[in-house]
Amino acid sequence: MAEHVAASEDTHRRPGGSLLLTASPVDPSPDVVAIVLDPTWTPDPAVAAAGRVAPIRDSVDATLRDVDPIALTSTLLEGWAAAAGIVETLKIGGTSFWYYVRLRHSIWLQERVIWAHVLRRLVDAHRPAVIVVGDESDPAIVDVARLIAATDGIRLDLPEPPPVVEAPVPEPVVAPPVVVARKPKRSVASRARRFVGRMLGRKPPPPPVPTGPPRRPPLAPILAKVAALESEPGRLLVVSTHDPHLVETPSGPRLMNPFLGPIADVLRGTRLEPITVDWRAKRADPVAFARTTGPGTERILPLDAFLVADESDDPAVLEVAEGAARSIRDVREAIPVAGIDLGQLLAEVVSEDAVRWFPSMQRTVPRITRLVRHLRPAGILIADEYHREDWREAAAATGTPFFAVQHGTISRHHQGYIHATRPPALRLPDRTFVFGRWEHDRLVRDSVYREDEVVVGGSPRLDYFRPTGTDREAVRRELGVAPGDRLVVLSGTWGTLYRRFHYPVVLARLFDRPLPGIHVVVKQHPGERDEGPYRPVIEGVAAARGFAPPPITVVRDTDLYRLLGAADAHLGIHSTVLTEAVFVGTPNLLATGILGGDLLDYVEAGVALPVETGADLLAALDASAGGALRHESRTAFIERQYEPGSASERIAADLLEWLPPAPEPVAAAPAPVVAR
């Protein structure tokens, strides 16, 4: 092992032995306790009874019953950032870009908060003299193990770093002299045949097909499109920063931003005729760039449009920005968690991250500002605004009104929407359109928004939803559900944190026994790139305990509403699909046993039944079929969460009222008549 921290002499406290953190099950020696880090692994009863090999899932389960990592991390990060002065350090113009990265650093910290409590629980239970970290452990485990070992005086064995292999320096190659041979003259007959071929119109052979990466499309047509749109000042600039979704519209299926596209549809033909910036489309990505070319895309600009009137970078500005980013390493504010301090570690990570993006943001903000000055829009409309401080600063610099549409669920600790304080550098939208009264109250009551900054607009993504009679039997046949079986939809997640900790713990409890007559359909998040932990956990528990698992079907690219319409129930764990199931009318089962898991108070509102074990799951399915979830509760929840009526029409009308028409161009004075 490469690293050793001197062991404590306190043998009375620690009986000795090693705690091995291993990626997969092993057969340890008698003085070793092996903890299997694979969260989907379930030991058979004999292995579990021996106590020498245990799944990390047991310790995670116990931790999540005692600790709400989302709430704790939110409090810790808010206090650290305020004490460290990060808001001012990462400022461009009048906008702090700390909020640009706060969410991802919150996830980084939350992962280590969980590991700190989990490893502290293991160390206190086994009191090892040595902690051995296996070769496949990820950086979060190594970070926490280092701190716990150093704090407790435990020897730490880490895996050997991979050897650095230096590439051999190639011998210089001396090119042979180039011999230019003269092309032999063609014969008279050959020249005659070529002449006759040309006369007969025969085509020459095609040129060879070029190999290598495709050429990047030219910039000039993009700038020409910008120039054409400059003649239309006073339009609405719609900035779409997400990959488009396939949405069924009255005119057929279309790719669009589901939050902004319906509003843009309503505004077409008005004085706020939208100009769209597709921020995910750029020349370096041919597939995405194709969304901005061809007929009907004259008002759609790719990211490259911000290169209009581009200017050279000021090296001094970039140097100052890099210096500010590096200075964060010197922050010495503590973050105490489970007996260790994560503060210095967070400061180093925030600093390293900022060195990568903060100087380049000094280039991006002026580019966006120049594009806005060229287009002179009446206002900017965006979703996911809490990640788009670059556009917020450009709007402020140009005096352009800035509007946002709620994106996703606003939970009580949402790092994009919920703030404890409002420093001047926290630039919020001039208006934020939220889905319902409940979100309005959360932003005004639990965050720092003013009453006049939050408008209940409804959810534009639901405007194109048309409840139709789902052919339940057809859907079930497509999914392979046996006649008479109950279909339970389990909504998945793309988040690594929840895939590693929350889902394995919850699924191991819920599928702890035979569930006859149940077919599980996992509806994956569009961002998932593999099948996830769902099947391994469910089938692993069944195999270890000797019973047959329920049939499982995993789907991703399918219509969610059609799937919910065919289901007997939806099983949710930290998922916005819980709300969508209420909207469709599918009974909700909410996984409990995790602190802070009911993000929108579904159980209290009477639109979800809590379930923790397989027995709860079976009972809840029977109860929901018997009408335990009342129609009145569903109606009240929908009215609280979603303003009734067309959100797109309501928001479009508000924008037309708030944004004044563009001033008429001043006619040039007639030229004076000069008498000859």
Side-chain angles (χ1 to χ4, degrees):
M1 296 293 176
E3 178 174 334
H4 301 280
V5 178
S8 169
E9 298 298 328
D10 183 8
T11 55
H12 175 72
R13 174 184 174 275
R14 189 173 300 107
S18 298
L19 183 67
L20 170 63
L21 306 177
T22 175
S24 54
V26 296
D27 184 14
S29 58
D31 64 340
V32 174
V33 174
I35 305 298
V36 180
L37 299 176
D38 178 0
T40 69
W41 178 73
T42 303
D44 62 47
V47 172
R52 291 175 47 228
V53 183
I56 193 69
R57 195 171 65 221
D58 291 348
S59 298
V60 173
D61 188 334
T63 295
L64 294 182
R65 289 179 183 273
D66 295 338
V67 178
D68 181 349
I70 299 175
L72 178 58
T73 300
S74 177
T75 301
L76 292 171
L77 189 64
E78 189 83 40
W80 178 86
I86 299 297
V87 171
E88 288 296 315
T89 301
L90 296 177
K91 193 165 76 168
I92 298 176
T95 303
S96 175
F97 281 69
W98 163 243
Y99 304 103
Y100 172 74
V101 294
R102 188 171 78 147
L103 179 58
R104 72 167 172 254
H105 289 309
S106 171
I107 293 172
W108 180 95
L109 181 59
Q110 186 183 156
E111 185 175 16
R112 282 150 183 82
V113 165
I114 294 174
W115 277 122
H117 283 280
V118 168
L119 292 188
R120 171 59 63 197
R121 187 179 297 273
L122 289 169
V123 167
D124 288 349
H126 299 286
R127 296 185 293 161
V130 183
I131 297 176
V132 181
V133 179
D135 291 341
E136 299 179 19
S137 299
D138 66 21
I141 299 171
V142 174
D143 286 344
V144 173
R146 285 180 191 273
L147 292 172
I148 286 183
T151 302
D152 288 23
I154 304 172
R155 196 179 86 201
L156 177 65
D157 286 355
L158 294 180
E160 294 282 354
V164 178
V165 179
E166 296 184 1
V169 179
E171 294 290 334
V173 178
V174 179
V178 178
V179 178
V180 180
R182 291 184 179 277
K183 182 183 294 185
K185 288 186 176 181
R186 295 184 181 274
S187 66
V188 175
S190 172
R191 280 180 286 170
R193 285 194 299 272
R194 288 172 60 84
F195 175 76
V196 172
R198 288 196 301 271
M199 294 299 292
L200 293 176
R202 292 174 185 164
K203 294 181 179 179
V209 178
T211 59
R215 293 184 59 187
R216 181 173 296 192
L219 181 62
I222 301 172
L223 301 185
K225 190 186 289 190
V226 174
L229 294 171
E230 286 180 24
S231 63
E232 303 181 20
R235 303 303 196 182
L236 183 70
L237 188 59
V238 179
V239 182
S240 177
T241 60
H242 293 89
D243 287 326
H245 293 209
L246 187 65
V247 177
E248 291 287 344
T249 73
S251 59
R254 282 167 46 203
L255 281 173
M256 66 163 61
N257 183 304
F259 300 99
L260 304 177
I263 303 171
D265 285 350
V266 174
L267 287 172
R268 288 194 176 90
T270 71
R271 61 179 173 82
L272 293 180
E273 180 79 34
I275 298 170
T276 299
V277 178
D278 188 341
W279 203 244
R280 289 296 182 95
K282 52 187 176 182
R283 291 179 297 156
D285 183 346
V287 174
F289 183 72
R291 298 196 297 262
T292 69
T293 61
T297 64
E298 295 79 10
R299 309 185 69 79
I300 304 177
L301 299 172
L303 176 149
D304 307 79
F306 74 179
L307 295 176
V308 61
D310 203 21
E311 300 175 1
S312 300
D313 298 325
D314 184 347
V317 172
L318 301 183
E319 186 177 346
V320 169
E322 183 175 339
R326 293 192 185 281
S327 71
I328 299 173
R329 290 183 65 93
D330 299 328
V331 170
R332 292 294 181 268
E333 295 299 326
I335 300 180
V337 180
I340 61 175
D341 178 12
L342 294 170
Q344 182 58 37
L345 201 58
L346 177 63
E348 293 173 1
V349 168
V350 173
S351 176
E352 291 170 5
D353 181 52
V355 166
R356 287 191 292 270
W357 66 264
F358 193 50
S360 64
M361 192 59 74
Q362 307 281 346
R363 179 185 308 118
T364 299
V365 170
R367 284 175 167 175
I368 296 175
T369 304
R370 285 192 290 270
L371 176 61
V372 174
R373 290 192 193 283
H374 275 263
L375 295 175
R376 294 170 293 160
I380 296 173
L381 180 67
I382 198 166
D384 188 27
E385 79 284 356
Y386 49 83
H387 281 147
R388 298 270 47 117
E389 276 71 21
D390 44 5
W391 281 92
R392 185 67 190 92
E393 172 59 24
T398 57
T400 307
F402 189 80
F403 302 93
V405 177
Q406 176 185 337
H407 169 256
T409 298
I410 303 180
S411 60
R412 57 179 57 86
H413 298 292
H414 194 298
Q415 289 295 298
Y417 287 110
I418 306 302
H419 305 278
T421 60
R422 185 168 177 168
L426 170 58
R427 287 272 180 82
L428 299 176
D430 298 301
R431 296 287 189 279
T432 298
F433 295 99
V434 295
F435 297 162
R437 173 58 52 180
W438 190 84
E439 288 84 1
H440 168 278
D441 293 346
R442 174 143 287 176
L443 292 187
V444 174
R445 182 192 63 220
D446 301 335
S447 190
V448 295
Y449 289 71
R450 297 194 303 268
E451 180 71 32
D452 63 340
E453 293 174 330
V454 185
V455 177
V456 178
S459 175
R461 69 182 300 184
L462 296 179
D463 284 352
Y464 288 148
F465 170 65
R466 296 292 180 268
T468 57
T470 300
D471 188 340
R472 291 167 57 89
E473 294 307 316
V475 175
R476 289 166 181 248
R477 285 194 299 270
E478 293 171 16
L479 298 170
V481 180
D485 278 3
R486 291 186 283 191
L487 192 165
V488 175
V489 173
L490 168 64
S491 49
T493 180
W494 63 272
T496 302
L497 196 69
Y498 300 112
R499 282 171 140 225
R500 165 172 286 174
F501 296 116
H502 301 73
Y503 273 75
V505 163
V506 166
L507 293 177
R509 295 185 200 145
L510 285 169
F511 294 88
D512 62 348
R513 68 200 66 204
L515 299 174
I518 291 178
H519 189 118
V520 178
V521 175
V522 179
K523 172 57 178 78
Q524 293 195 283
H525 187 280
E528 293 189 77
R529 294 295 177 259
D530 56 43
E531 278 212 350
Y534 321 107
R535 188 190 301 275
V537 172
I538 296 171
E539 294 182 347
V541 170
R545 299 183 184 179
F547 58 82
I552 301 171
T553 303
V554 180
V555 297
R556 185 177 64 177
D557 300 320
T558 190
D559 185 274
L560 173 62
Y561 291 146
R562 183 169 178 261
L563 185 59
L564 289 173
D568 292 282
H570 164 250
L571 175 59
I573 309 166
H574 281 306
S575 173
T576 57
V577 181
L578 284 158
T579 297
E580 292 174 294
V582 178
F583 195 87
V584 175
T586 306
N588 264 324
L589 312 180
L590 176 68
T592 56
I594 293 177
L595 287 183
D598 190 350
L599 298 179
L600 298 189
D601 303 327
Y602 296 103
V603 174
E604 180 182 340
V607 295
L609 297 175
V611 292
E612 184 173 347
T613 67
D616 297 337
L617 181 59
L618 292 170
L621 283 171
D622 291 338
S624 63
L629 297 173
R630 299 170 57 199
H631 177 73
E632 294 82 359
S633 299
R634 172 176 174 260
T635 301
F637 182 86
I638 292 174
E639 290 177 352
R640 186 184 71 173
Q641 294 288 335
Y642 296 107
E643 189 73 4
S646 171
S648 305
E649 293 177 2
R650 184 183 299 110
I651 294 172
D654 286 346
L655 291 172
L656 285 165
E657 181 181 350
W658 284 337
L659 297 176
E664 295 292 332
V666 179
V673 178
V674 180
R676 290 186 180 277

